Amino acid sequence: MSKVMAKAVYTTVESPLGELLLVGEESATASGGTALASLSLPGQKGGVVVQDGWVRDDEAFAVIAGQLCAYFDGTLTRFDIQYASGVGTDFQRRVWQALDTLPYGTTTTYGKLAEQLGLSRMAVRALGTAIGRNPLLVVRPCHRVIGADGSLAGYAGGLEAKRRLLDLESAH
């Protein structure tokens, strides 16, 4: 995570993808009192690791963990989670906001997403880099972006995790 949080809290949540690491910060406006700053998968490229000074607080993530459980059970199709502010560049946040609009059970291509954002074909690589820096795997659905030829293309959590998430969504 590029942002240093004043009081970081974390927990782990079991999932069909393995143990997820959730990191957040206290928020008076977030449901459950925690804004999510990072969600990492096991073995994730560039994934977050617990830092000195972070406090484990399972209860702080009860609402988020409940939503993740419902998602993996196939009963939740859209997350209602407040994200920590100040994470990422302006361009990254713009791309990540576009990811949040991708409907459950659908996919789009890097090129179509670039077009949706008004970016040139030359900017598709920058878009892919921004998607690859998404700190909120699963809840911010970067797994729904695929190659123009229908291939899975990149995913920081690994292509097997991406396939499993897409299969989960297509099954419900």
Side-chain angles (χ1 to χ4, degrees):
M1 274 180 314
S2 57
K3 179 185 164 198
V4 176
M5 294 183 289
K7 184 175 181 206
V9 291
Y10 75 94
T11 193
T12 55
V13 175
E14 285 301 321
S15 81
L17 303 175
E19 187 178 74
L20 307 178
L21 173 63
L22 282 62
V23 180
E25 60 189 16
E26 293 179 358
S27 170
T29 57
S31 178
T34 303
L36 190 63
S38 173
L39 189 156
S40 298
L41 277 60
Q44 175 182 328
K45 178 182 171 188
V48 171
V49 295
V50 176
Q51 303 292 310
D52 288 340
W54 289 5
V55 177
R56 184 174 184 117
D57 187 346
D58 300 338
E59 187 57 34
F61 292 93
V63 170
I64 297 168
Q67 288 188 44
L68 284 164
C69 211
Y71 170 79
F72 287 117
D73 286 345
T75 58
L76 181 79
T77 60
R78 184 159 182 83
F79 291 97
D80 183 19
I81 295 172
Q82 181 178 319
Y83 304 145
S85 61
V87 178
T89 65
D90 289 342
F91 179 74
Q92 288 170 336
R93 286 192 298 271
R94 188 169 157 226
V95 171
W96 298 341
Q97 287 170 349
L99 293 174
D100 286 332
T101 68
L102 300 177
Y104 180 91
T106 67
T107 58
T108 192
T109 65
Y110 291 91
K112 286 180 184 173
L113 192 60
E115 187 178 302
Q116 175 186 328
L117 288 167
L119 302 174
S120 72
R121 298 298 280 167
M122 297 299 293
V124 171
R125 183 172 296 233
L127 174 111
T129 299
I131 291 171
R133 296 236 167 91
N134 172 19
L136 300 168
L137 300 191
V138 182
V139 298
R140 182 180 284 138
C142 56
H143 58 275
R144 296 179 188 151
V145 183
I146 60 173
D149 62 357
S151 65
L152 292 186
Y155 187 63
L159 295 182
E160 176 60 26
K162 184 171 188 166
R163 166 57 50 214
R164 291 181 75 183
L165 290 168
L166 292 173
D167 287 350
L168 169 87
E169 292 185 8
S170 68
H172 292 96

